[in-house]
């Protein structure tokens, strides 16, 4: 028997890669089992006919968290990634013809905002200042640490901070303190969709998102977001992590208070001292772990929305499409109600268009365009009739109509060489995302911090979790924090020296 502590990570999403690398750096012998043919999870890529698409995330945010991850592994991020700042961050289109370019240039922001409302700029400065406070408190006191019991979370020190973060107020309602124009409220709350949330339900804490974008920047790694996945995978392999692809896990086998092994679909048995689940946490409880009541509890929790995705290879360039483009629905509130309450495509959908070749020409063949379109939609719901073919067709027609109306693009459908489509069904099938919810469990007050599913199993003391549906939550930089926090907890509770001592105890004969 090897004296070195053996760890197995289920899933090679960014949380699994980062956790595996951190564990290897701390002395574990780590194997990662991944169901697909490469790492990345939902932060994967499609390459077809010279067109390169990021499948999921397209925004590189909070670079200091990425830098800390690389540094903790003995690397410099700048040696691995060529980052370009995107500014203006977005071009935002409203259905009445108004356009805003969100930018860190305060002079340009003032000019644009005062054209909408002459009193809007002081409100904007106050809003960003509040977002800065929320960001600092959140990262230092809540998102960036483990909570081992509810008394730590609701401590006398933390309770005042929860109120300072406006965790019990709603984001959209809170913007009324800063903006009067409904379009400006929308322009500074739609970012909640990064977390798969409605701004009408999300805590006001999430004004921190707009602060991070405008103060710290929206960045793009040359090669796409998948370049960051490839970089972290290389670093993990350099540290000795072994990746086993095309190896979906069938079952986790446990006895008493410990997991002892798992079985893959092809019948392979993997034994280890430590296990980390990076597949979607509700899926692990429901499909992989022994029968348990927790799976039923998780099914009743709130989930994020899903998306309809179009990946279009286009044989013509459209320079009027910026790197990041957001088209907001006219009836903003109704669109979110229909997504989150009715679990369908809204009557007036909002959508996002990503044109990476605007910054990275290699994303498309010369003279052509790679277009990624994301349309928020409700997650899978067995209690409702959901005609995904009809919703996909209506979403596509909405995109064509608004691009023609607001950008003068009337011939796009004739120049699409190929289309790849994702719906919630693909998110579930390809990445084991429960209910096809593209961002995992939701983030209301009752599903964050210690109230979110914990990063260690309550019964099986050597079964840990990292990813979007455990603490601290979803979004690439936050999942990197999840990897950090899970590793810290493992090193506190199950460091390699402790596992080695158990292996070399007299009972082993050594």
């Amino acid at each position: 028997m090897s004296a070195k502590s053996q760890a197995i990570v289920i899933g090679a999403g960014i949380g699994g890669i980062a956790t595996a690398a951190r564990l290897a750096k701390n002395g574990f012998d780590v194997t990662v089992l991944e169901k697909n043919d490469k790492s990345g999870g939902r932060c994967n890529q499609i390459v077809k006919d010279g067109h390169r698409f990021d499948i999921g995330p397209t925004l590189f945010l909070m670079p200091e968290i990425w830098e800390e991850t690389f540094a903790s592994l003995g690397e410099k991020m700048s040696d691995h990634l060529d980052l370009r700042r995107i500014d203006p961050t977005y071009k935002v289109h409203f259905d009445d013809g108004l356009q805003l370019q969100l930018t860190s240039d305060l002079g340009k922001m003032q000019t644009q905002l005062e054209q909408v409302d002459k009193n809007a700029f002081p409100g904007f400065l106050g809003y960003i200042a509040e977002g800065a406070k929320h960001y600092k408190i959140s990262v230092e006191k809540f998102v960036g640490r483990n909570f081992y019991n509810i008394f730590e979370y609701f401590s006398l020190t933390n309770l005042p901070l929860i109120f300072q973060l406006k965790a019990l107020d709603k984001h959209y309602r809170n913007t009324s303190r800063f903006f009067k124009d409904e379009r400006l409220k929308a322009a500074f709350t739609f970012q909640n969709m990064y977390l798969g949330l409605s701004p009408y339900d999300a805590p006001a804490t999430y004004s921190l998102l707009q602060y991070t974008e405008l103060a710290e920047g929206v960045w793009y790694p040359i090669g796409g977001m998948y370049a960051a996945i490839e970089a972290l995978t290389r670093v993990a392999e350099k540290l000795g992590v072994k990746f086993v692809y095309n190896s979906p896990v069938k079952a986790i086998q446990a006895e008493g208070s410990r997991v002892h092994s798992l079985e893959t679909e092809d019948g392979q048995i993997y034994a280890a001292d430590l296990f980390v689940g990076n597949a979607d946490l509700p899926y692990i409880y429901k499909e992989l772990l022994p029968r348990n009541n927790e799976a039923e509890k998780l099914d009743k929790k709130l989930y994020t929305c899903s998306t309809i995705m179009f990946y279009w290879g286009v044989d013509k360039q459209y320079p009027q499409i910026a790197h990041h483009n957001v088209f907001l629905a006219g009836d903003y509130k109704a669109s979110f109600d229909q997504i989150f309450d009715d679990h369908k495509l809204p009557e007036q959908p909002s959508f996002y268009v990503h044109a990476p070749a605007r910054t990275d020409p290699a994303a498309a063949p010369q003279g052509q365009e790679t277009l990624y379109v994301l349309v928020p939609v409700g997650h899978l719901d067995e209690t409702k009739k959901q005609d995904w073919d009809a919703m996909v067709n209506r979403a596509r027609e909405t995109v064509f109509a608004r691009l023609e109306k607001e950008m003068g693009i009337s011939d796009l459908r004739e120049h699409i060489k190929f289309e790849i489509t994702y719906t919630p069904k693909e998110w579930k099938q390809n990445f084991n995302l429960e209910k096809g919810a593209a961002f995992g469990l939701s983030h209301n007050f009752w599903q964050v911090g210690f109230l979110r599913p914990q990063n260690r199993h309550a019964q099986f003391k050597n079964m840990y979790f990292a990813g979007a549906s455990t603490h601290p939550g979803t979004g690439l930089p936050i999942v990197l924090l999840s990897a950090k926090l899970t590793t810290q907890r493992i090193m506190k509770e199950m460091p390699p020296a402790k596992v080695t001592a158990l292996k070399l105890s007299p009972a082993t004969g050594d």
Side-chain angles (χ1 to χ4, degrees), residues 94-373:
F94 300 86
D95 76 330
D96 64 357
L98 175 66
Q99 295 183 18
L100 290 176
Q101 295 194 62
L102 302 189
T103 172
S104 59
D105 186 319
L106 291 180
K108 290 181 179 178
M109 280 301 300
Q110 181 175 7
T111 299
Q112 293 182 86
L113 293 173
E114 289 180 347
Q115 288 174 351
V116 178
D117 177 350
K118 65 180 181 180
N119 299 313
F121 187 63
F124 166 76
L125 294 178
Y127 184 71
I128 296 302
E130 181 179 90
K133 181 177 76 172
H134 287 174
Y135 178 74
K136 182 177 177 61
I137 295 174
S138 294
V139 171
E140 291 183 1
K141 303 297 184 181
F142 291 96
V143 176
R145 59 160 293 185
N146 282 306
F147 294 97
Y148 294 94
N149 58 65
I150 198 165
F151 302 105
E152 286 185 356
Y153 187 58
F154 289 116
S155 68
L156 292 177
T157 302
N158 277 359
L159 277 174
L161 298 179
I162 290 173
F163 287 99
Q164 286 184 41
L165 289 171
K166 299 186 175 180
L168 298 174
D169 199 0
K170 302 304 182 187
H171 193 183
Y172 191 87
R173 183 171 60 204
N174 184 57
T175 59
S176 297
R177 296 179 57 244
F178 304 97
F179 304 105
K180 301 305 178 188
D181 190 283
E182 295 297 321
R183 295 167 298 179
L184 295 183
K185 295 178 189 178
F188 293 101
T189 57
F190 76 80
Q191 294 86 348
N192 290 152
M193 292 301 292
Y194 303 162
L195 306 177
L197 304 177
S198 164
Y200 295 92
D201 296 323
T205 311
Y206 290 121
S207 60
L208 62 86
L209 291 170
Q210 292 72 46
Y211 163 75
T212 61
E213 289 181 350
L214 296 178
E216 298 187 359
V218 172
W219 300 80
Y220 180 80
I222 296 300
M225 292 298 292
Y226 196 69
I229 296 295
E230 292 176 315
L232 283 173
T233 302
R234 286 194 303 270
V235 170
E237 290 174 333
K238 180 180 174 182
L239 291 168
V241 176
K242 297 177 287 293
F243 289 85
V244 183
Y245 298 110
N246 299 306
S247 295
V249 173
K250 179 181 179 181
I252 295 170
Q253 297 156 340
E255 185 174 351
S257 63
R258 297 179 67 81
V259 171
H260 56 78
S261 62
L262 55 79
E263 181 182 2
T264 56
E265 291 285 357
D266 62 2
Q268 292 287 316
I269 303 295
Y270 289 83
D273 306 297
L274 171 73
F275 297 82
V276 180
N278 177 235
D280 195 30
L281 182 143
Y283 171 83
I284 294 176
Y285 274 95
K286 182 178 179 181
E287 303 292 344
L288 302 184
L289 283 164
R291 290 180 63 87
N292 61 90
N293 294 329
E294 192 64 25
E296 198 171 310
K297 294 178 184 176
L298 287 168
D299 190 60
K300 295 176 181 178
K301 289 187 178 293
L302 291 177
Y303 284 75
T304 56
C305 70
S306 191
T307 62
I308 292 172
M309 307 294 302
F310 299 109
Y311 306 101
W312 289 331
V314 182
D315 65 8
K316 178 181 177 180
Q317 285 185 319
Y318 294 95
Q320 60 268 57
I321 302 178
H323 188 109
H324 297 299
N325 311 264
V326 174
F327 294 78
L328 296 178
D331 195 337
Y332 191 63
K333 185 177 188 305
S335 70
F336 285 106
D337 290 344
Q338 290 161 13
I339 291 169
F340 290 94
D341 297 338
D342 303 332
H343 298 153
K344 67 178 187 178
L345 177 71
E347 295 303 318
Q348 297 181 43
S350 298
F351 61 94
Y352 159 76
V353 180
H354 178 227
R358 206 60 66 246
T359 302
D360 185 0
Q366 186 174 1
Q368 300 188 31
E369 202 78 84
T370 291
L371 295 180
Y372 159 122
V373 180

Side-chain angles (χ1 to χ4, degrees), residues 13 59 87 95 110 149 303 314 316 367 384 398 400 455 479:
L59 300 166
D87 197 347
D95 76 330
Q110 181 175 7
N149 58 65
Y303 284 75
V314 182
K316 178 181 177 180
K384 299 181 185 298
T398 297
F400 287 150
N455 55 10
V479 171

Side-chain angles (χ1 to χ4, degrees), residues 298-480:
L298 287 168
D299 190 60
K300 295 176 181 178
K301 289 187 178 293
L302 291 177
Y303 284 75
T304 56
C305 70
S306 191
T307 62
I308 292 172
M309 307 294 302
F310 299 109
Y311 306 101
W312 289 331
V314 182
D315 65 8
K316 178 181 177 180
Q317 285 185 319
Y318 294 95
Q320 60 268 57
I321 302 178
H323 188 109
H324 297 299
N325 311 264
V326 174
F327 294 78
L328 296 178
D331 195 337
Y332 191 63
K333 185 177 188 305
S335 70
F336 285 106
D337 290 344
Q338 290 161 13
I339 291 169
F340 290 94
D341 297 338
D342 303 332
H343 298 153
K344 67 178 187 178
L345 177 71
E347 295 303 318
Q348 297 181 43
S350 298
F351 61 94
Y352 159 76
V353 180
H354 178 227
R358 206 60 66 246
T359 302
D360 185 0
Q366 186 174 1
Q368 300 188 31
E369 202 78 84
T370 291
L371 295 180
Y372 159 122
V373 180
L374 181 156
V375 187
V377 69
H379 62 60
L380 296 173
D381 185 345
E382 294 178 353
T383 69
K384 299 181 185 298
K385 182 180 179 181
Q386 294 176 306
D387 186 339
W388 292 109
D389 288 341
M391 284 191 269
V392 165
N393 289 335
R394 187 159 63 82
R396 185 190 297 110
E397 292 305 314
T398 297
V399 175
F400 287 150
R402 288 200 65 176
L403 290 179
E404 180 170 3
K405 174 186 173 185
E406 296 165 45
M407 287 188 171
I409 298 173
S410 59
D411 60 349
L412 177 57
R413 70 178 73 227
E414 287 82 35
H415 289 280
I416 294 175
K417 300 189 297 181
F418 64 84
E419 173 185 275
I420 298 170
T421 306
Y422 272 40
T423 71
K425 294 187 293 184
E426 281 71 34
W427 288 119
K428 182 176 182 179
Q429 177 183 326
N430 294 350
F431 304 110
N432 291 334
L433 298 175
E434 188 64 20
K435 301 180 188 293
F439 308 88
L441 285 174
S442 190
H443 294 75
N444 66 3
F445 178 78
W446 303 105
Q447 292 183 189
V448 295
F450 185 78
L451 305 177
R452 198 167 182 81
Q454 293 293 291
N455 55 10
R456 195 197 71 185
H457 195 282
Q459 177 183 350
F460 306 130
K461 306 304 184 185
N462 64 336
M463 179 78 221
Y464 293 80
F465 304 96
S469 289
T470 187
H471 176 66
T474 195
L476 290 183
I478 306 305
V479 171
L480 288 176

